Amino acid sequence: SASHIPMIPPRLRTPLCALTLLGINIYICHAMFRGAPTIQTGSIEVLFMSFARWLAENWNDRSWMPTWIMGNPVRQVYNPALHATVAAFIKLTGWNAPQSYHFVTTSIYCLGPVTLFWWLYRGSRRHGLAFLAGLIYSLVSPATPLDHSILRDVGSYFSPHRLQTLITYGEGPHIT
């Protein structure tokens, strides 16, 4: 019976929920941690990788981005925070741009539901509710019933649109 099931000590509930969500998301997108660019022709990730590579190679000159629309100030190039993070990862690890970009964006993807869980738990103090929200965020897209174009794009109410956005379209900045 349920009364004989040992309770998880309160101090372990939050880390256990967070680690479970992290594990689920690592399982879902473990292949994305590899560094090869996607074979999806609609993906823009190669452009984002080139931003990061340029920043890594020109670390001391962040004033001008020559690869963006014939040159632009870095601060006006998309959202430079992700590209600067990937560039720093390139410098720290010695990995190439595709490996670094995929590792950083996939890590951020995996931490999204964990962050949602943590925010909801901090606000509600209810592990079950916060964990359920993180799990739903991990597994399905709540936008599919609201927008038929998204439903057509992902193919099912139970497909994670965030994962498709990352893999098919290479939209690491949007996931971030």
Side-chain angles (χ1 to χ4, degrees):
S1 78
S3 62
H4 297 341
I5 298 172
M7 293 297 296
I8 298 170
R11 65 180 174 14
L12 295 180
R13 287 182 198 147
T14 303
L16 184 61
C17 287
L19 287 173
T20 301
L21 285 170
L22 182 62
I24 289 168
N25 281 275
I26 289 171
Y27 177 78
I28 288 170
C29 62
H30 66 278
M32 286 296 294
F33 280 105
R34 290 188 223 119
T38 183
I39 60 170
Q40 302 293 330
T41 58
S43 176
I44 193 169
E45 72 177 8
V46 174
L47 177 67
F48 299 141
M49 290 173 193
S50 71
F51 291 168
R53 190 193 74 237
W54 185 88
L55 285 171
E57 292 171 357
N58 299 280
W59 192 254
N60 293 326
D61 179 17
R62 286 185 244 126
S63 61
W64 197 253
M65 175 67 80
T67 61
W68 182 256
I69 310 175
M70 298 175 61
N72 251 335
V74 168
R75 69 185 178 279
Q76 294 177 0
V77 175
Y78 219 76
N79 180 353
L82 173 64
H83 311 306
T85 302
V86 174
F89 204 81
I90 290 168
K91 297 290 274 183
L92 291 171
T93 64
W95 290 0
N96 63 30
Q99 288 172 314
S100 298
Y101 179 82
H102 280 206
F103 187 85
V104 169
T105 57
T106 304
S107 296
I108 291 168
Y109 175 94
C110 292
L111 290 171
V114 176
T115 304
L116 176 63
F117 161 78
W118 186 78
W119 282 343
L120 288 175
Y121 173 69
R122 296 284 295 176
S124 70
R125 293 289 185 214
R126 296 177 64 194
H127 285 100
L129 177 67
F131 182 80
L132 181 62
L135 188 62
I136 289 170
Y137 185 59
S138 299
L139 301 176
V140 299
S141 172
T144 51
L146 302 174
D147 187 337
H148 290 290
S149 64
I150 293 174
L151 177 60
R152 279 191 309 274
D153 200 25
V154 297
S156 166
Y157 285 110
F158 302 104
S159 294
H161 190 241
R162 283 183 331 115
L163 185 61
Q164 182 196 27
T165 300
L166 184 61
I167 293 173
T168 304
Y169 303 117
E171 287 288 355
H174 286 118
I175 296 300
T176 302

